Amino acid sequence: MRVLRPVALTLALAATTANAGLVDDIVNAIKNAATCATCQGLFVPLKVLAALGDGPFTKTFVAVCKVISPGMIDRDVCEGAVKTQAPILAHDLRSISPFGQTAEKLCDALVGLCQPPAVNAYKVPFPKPAPANPKTFVSSGKTPFQVVHFSDIHIDRQYTVGAEASCTKPICCRNYADQTGPVTNAARPYGSRNCDTPTFLAQNFLRTIGSNNKFSIFTGDVIEASVWLADRVTVQHDIEEFNRELTTIPQVPVYPALGNHESAPTNAFPRNTTTKKGASSQWVFDTVSKGWEPVIGKAAADQAARLSGSYSAIVPGTNLKILSINTVYWYKSNFWLYDSNKAFPDPNGIIGFAAQELQAAEDAGQRVWIIAHMPTNRKDALRDQTNYFDQVVQRYKHVIAGQFFGHSHQDQFAVGYSDYSRQSADTATSMAWVVPAITPRSSNPRFKVYDVDPDTYEIMDSKVYHSDVNDPSFDHEPKWELVYSARELYGPLVPGHPATASLNPAFWHRVTEAFERNQTAFELYQSLRLEGGKPMECDATCKKDTICQLRALRSESACDYSTPGLNFRREEGQNLTIHEAHTDECEGIGLSHVLKGVAEHRAEIDWDQLQAELEAIVADAEANPEPVED
Ligand SMILES: *[C@@H]1O[C@H](CO)[C@@H](O)[C@H](O)[C@H]1NC(C)=O
Ligand SMILES: *[C@@H]1O[C@H](CO)[C@@H](O)[C@H](O)[C@H]1NC(C)=O
Ligand SMILES: *[C@@H]1O[C@H](CO)[C@@H](O)[C@H](O)[C@H]1NC(C)=O
């Protein structure tokens, strides 16, 4: 003790000295955070600030909101988002070195200034080596059965018919307190652009999942995108409400997966290794476990409670196992993932669980569908974990008949390869189906119906259905109509693909080759991604990257790059919402948007005002120190 005492004193003195220049350092660092190196430099003063407690740290970012509002973002939206997320960031910064790899990843997640580091090599352990002669599944040509796949329903329980649908917030069609003046664009009964799904539309859709379908899969995101208001009480209530609808309205079972919006704060799922007292998303897992039990059964519901919402269930009367996994521990915008210098290859054991369940399926001669929220070929998916999961997919490629995702709100697909350095129809081994959203926020509400071979459980055809928001009938009784059949639309691009063969990975690889040669076909695909929404512009570089992304089931191979600076304000005179402008940003508005906004609008910010506010916050924190509980 006698030895330690002087050290502690010195540290306290050093802290006081640092705080004297702290505000200058923060302001300068924010001003100059334009490169990856300076972004990590920003963490040095922010770490000192975080040591003063969550309170002053959060107040600092609220002050940043003040200087960037209202030009870039509504003040309530900014403050609400910051207040929920800043304490997590403060905890992270207290827990890590500002110069380590975790900080580098955090910079990428927060400001998009660092490209993510190369994958940290890790060999996933498997229960058993791959068999020399894996069981093959052969179609006997039986009539396919139908499965509905839907996602991102984002039900807004506060949706108000007649409220303003052209507002300045991430979602509209609510009675916001600061909404003044006459309504210019009234929220429609079954949904409007810029808004999440009204209950009417959600229930109308759930009634369409009829008895013609054997079962259905739902790949997550129940909660609406008002993330600046998301609190535990509302989120839990809304999950419970949806689970009741999910288990009572459709005439067939719906197997669900957990999305990144199913928490409060949004995206925030602490790892079970966190040192922060009381930090846990167990309430989410308990809520879904209870709500899903009538469909998935007791054993699977117990798994969901124990395994962070992940479970497996055999579809009755089939040889098909549904493996539903929570991908939010691989999601860049889950800021709890940055609270240790130590790398955890498999946070909360999701990858290990998948391997174990796939092994059991291999042993039992079953096939597996992997269902999850976030596709693994995006820049918002962490490179390490998607690489490790890809190892699992490659090991069990004979067992997996398909992977099914949502999250992007776009009609997409992706192919995985046994050898990424030799991508071809021969090395194409896994197929991912990405379904667009039910929410009409930025495109027409859509879902897919798969024709499934009853022997192989592979997809013979995928049909997209939509409800056209611009059709007058949408205001009375939304009609769900066929948009296209993948086999009809893309089949002619792959001449020679047998009619009896499934739409397998080789088929889709050949479709991407057709996109390379045939601009019309590529543009057709692009136009369907956000059907009914804003057209996507794509030059030659974008086309190259888009095709690259279609040929990847791991983030490192997807050519989906981090880009700094985002303008997240709704532009005057354009019909762009925050979400249309960032259709690829699924996390909702948050700290990262605030920091990116600062980076982009540096010249317009009143730095003297910010400096004065921060001086007051730091002085107050020093006069009234608060306890820090990590
Ligand atoms: C976290 O969860 C995984 C998977 O269930 C488990 O193996 C591990 O022991 C847990 N760690 C802690 C610290 O609870
Ligand atoms: C190019 O793609 C379009 C749209 O799928 C198709 O109609 C056309 O036949 C294709 N052209 C060739 C040469 O394959
Ligand atoms: C915005 O929407 C209105 C009404 O739907 C339309 O008349 C106008 O052309 C649109 N503006 C732009 C820039 O797309």
Side-chain angles (χ1 to χ4, degrees):
M1 276 331 242
R2 254 190 307 150
V3 181
L4 284 178
R5 211 183 200 127
V7 175
L9 270 177
T10 316
L11 276 180
L13 265 177
T16 314
T17 319
N19 291 354
L22 177 60
V23 171
D24 288 342
D25 290 349
I26 294 174
V27 171
N28 281 329
I30 293 180
K31 221 184 266 183
N32 298 321
T35 67
C36 184
T38 50
C39 171
Q40 281 178 271
L42 168 65
F43 289 168
V44 175
L46 286 185
K47 188 175 162 76
V48 180
L49 178 66
L52 295 175
D54 292 352
F57 191 89
T58 305
K59 282 183 202 152
T60 295
F61 280 96
V62 167
V64 173
C65 285
K66 203 157 150 189
V67 295
I68 67 171
S69 303
M72 278 177 247
I73 178 171
D74 282 7
R75 180 108 163 247
D76 59 332
V77 173
C78 190
E79 291 191 6
V82 157
K83 279 179 181 160
T84 58
Q85 295 173 11
I88 304 173
L89 182 60
H91 162 73
D92 288 342
L93 291 174
R94 286 192 295 267
S95 315
I96 62 171
S97 151
F99 300 108
Q101 198 190 72
T102 304
E104 203 182 324
K105 290 178 174 171
L106 182 56
C107 257
D108 173 33
L110 268 178
V111 206
L113 288 172
C114 304
Q115 294 305 327
V119 168
N120 294 296
Y122 171 74
K123 255 188 115 210
V124 175
F126 297 121
K128 291 182 192 171
N133 296 304
K135 175 173 172 178
T136 51
F137 295 82
V138 183
S139 172
S140 61
K142 291 196 193 88
T143 308
F145 62 83
Q146 278 68 43
V147 171
V148 171
H149 177 196
F150 69 102
S151 202
D152 297 84
I153 193 161
H154 292 288
I155 304 172
D156 186 0
R157 304 281 170 189
Q158 290 178 46
Y159 185 99
T160 307
V161 177
E164 181 60 78
S166 295
C167 72
T168 50
K169 298 187 203 296
I171 59 162
C172 305
C173 301
R174 284 179 162 201
N175 285 325
Y176 291 117
D178 61 356
Q179 185 75 59
T180 52
V183 170
T184 61
N185 179 12
R188 298 159 62 187
Y190 284 94
S192 293
R193 254 334 157 251
N194 312 333
C195 307
D196 268 335
T197 307
T199 312
F200 278 161
L201 179 64
Q203 296 188 349
N204 174 285
F205 162 69
L206 291 174
R207 280 193 295 272
T208 69
I209 307 178
S211 47
N212 292 340
N213 313 300
K214 199 171 185 74
F215 62 94
S216 175
I217 53 179
F218 166 61
T219 44
D221 271 6
V222 172
I223 304 302
E224 79 287 349
S226 60
V227 307
W228 69 102
L229 297 169
D231 60 43
R232 177 174 161 173
V233 172
T234 315
V235 168
Q236 181 165 343
H237 170 269
D238 288 3
I239 295 175
E240 284 167 350
E241 192 75 13
F242 178 64
N243 283 338
R244 258 192 298 280
E245 291 163 340
L246 196 68
T247 48
T248 53
I249 301 177
Q251 296 169 50
V252 293
V254 181
Y255 293 90
L258 203 61
N260 56 294
H261 277 259
E262 272 78 274
S263 192
T266 310
N267 309 330
F269 289 77
R271 295 180 291 197
N272 67 0
T273 46
T274 192
T275 53
K276 181 89 172 174
K277 261 192 239 161
S280 167
S281 298
Q282 192 54 44
W283 61 273
V284 178
F285 311 138
D286 290 341
T287 304
V288 295
S289 168
K290 194 159 165 250
W292 295 349
E293 188 178 327
V295 172
I296 66 177
K298 172 95 174 77
D302 287 349
Q303 285 181 322
R306 254 186 309 118
L307 293 155
S308 316
S310 308
Y311 68 88
S312 84
I314 303 285
V315 178
T318 73
N319 204 20
L320 176 67
K321 176 188 264 191
I322 303 288
L323 176 56
S324 176
I325 54 174
N326 179 0
T327 47
V328 82
Y329 300 102
W330 315 342
Y331 183 40
K332 215 183 246 185
S333 300
N334 175 6
F335 292 125
W336 285 107
L337 300 177
Y338 309 95
D339 74 343
S340 172
N341 286 323
K342 196 166 169 256
F344 297 100
D346 184 13
N348 285 36
I350 309 296
I351 295 167
F353 169 68
Q356 196 186 313
E357 287 292 336
L358 287 160
Q359 184 63 59
E362 183 175 86
D363 292 345
Q366 294 156 344
R367 282 212 118 176
V368 172
W369 280 11
I370 292 166
I371 71 168
H373 183 63
M374 178 183 65
T376 49
N377 67 338
R378 294 166 49 88
K379 65 170 180 260
D380 63 0
L382 290 166
R383 290 189 173 185
D384 282 352
Q385 279 67 38
T386 58
N387 175 292
Y388 309 155
F389 185 65
D390 183 61
Q391 294 178 35
V392 176
V393 169
Q394 293 312 324
R395 159 67 184 84
Y396 295 101
K397 55 181 184 275
H398 303 286
V399 177
I400 300 166
Q403 304 191 54
F404 302 87
F405 302 105
H407 185 60
S408 70
H409 294 200
Q410 297 178 35
D411 180 8
Q412 289 168 302
F413 66 90
V415 182
Y417 299 83
S418 56
D419 182 352
Y420 274 90
S421 64
R422 286 190 315 115
Q423 290 173 314
S424 71
D426 292 337
T427 59
T429 47
S430 197
M431 187 55 215
W433 308 83
V434 182
V435 79
I438 293 295
T439 177
R441 197 193 307 156
S442 44
S443 58
N444 280 333
R446 283 169 292 164
F447 63 91
K448 292 188 181 181
V449 179
Y450 302 119
D451 290 340
V452 183
D453 183 280
D455 295 308
T456 65
Y457 304 103
E458 289 171 17
I459 308 299
M460 302 305 292
D461 197 1
S462 158
K463 292 171 181 143
V464 173
Y465 286 78
H466 80 172
S467 191
D468 183 355
V469 173
N470 293 323
D471 192 287
S473 71
F474 190 76
D475 286 334
H476 311 291
E477 178 74 45
K479 286 192 289 218
W480 297 93
E481 299 166 317
L482 180 68
V483 181
Y484 72 93
S485 132
R487 188 148 214 142
E488 266 172 36
L489 193 68
Y490 296 124
L493 298 173
V494 187
H497 189 73
T500 51
S502 68
L503 301 184
N504 53 26
F507 170 85
W508 287 103
H509 177 83
R510 292 200 177 97
V511 171
T512 65
E513 286 177 338
F515 288 169
E516 283 176 327
R517 330 179 269 275
N518 184 336
Q519 183 64 16
T520 314
F522 177 71
E523 282 172 10
L524 180 64
Y525 168 73
Q526 287 290 100
S527 72
L528 291 168
R529 282 174 68 178
L530 276 173
E531 188 267 325
K534 192 183 173 287
M536 306 179 98
E537 277 164 29
C538 199
D539 61 12
T541 311
C542 158
K543 177 175 175 180
K544 203 160 149 280
D545 290 343
T546 302
I547 291 173
C548 170
Q549 194 181 11
L550 293 173
R551 294 176 181 162
L553 269 175
R554 54 184 201 185
S555 178
E556 78 204 77
S557 304
C559 308
D560 191 17
Y561 304 110
S562 294
T563 45
L566 277 178
N567 185 347
F568 49 85
R569 176 179 51 179
R570 209 140 79 71
E571 296 294 337
E572 291 300 321
Q574 281 189 26
N575 297 326
L576 268 193
T577 64
I578 290 166
H579 283 279
E580 279 172 334
H582 304 289
T583 45
D584 238 17
E585 297 290 320
C586 308
E587 85 270 26
I589 206 99
L591 257 184
S592 65
H593 288 82
V594 174
L595 284 172
K596 285 169 182 166
V598 170
E600 191 167 272
H601 293 264
R602 217 172 294 136
E604 302 151 40
I605 290 171
D606 185 342
W607 293 100
D608 292 339
Q609 187 198 334
L610 184 62
Q611 174 102 18
E613 300 232 1
L614 301 198
E615 299 279 3
I617 292 166
V618 170
D620 180 53
E622 284 171 349
N624 309 294
E626 67 170 50
V628 172
E629 289 200 341
D630 273 333

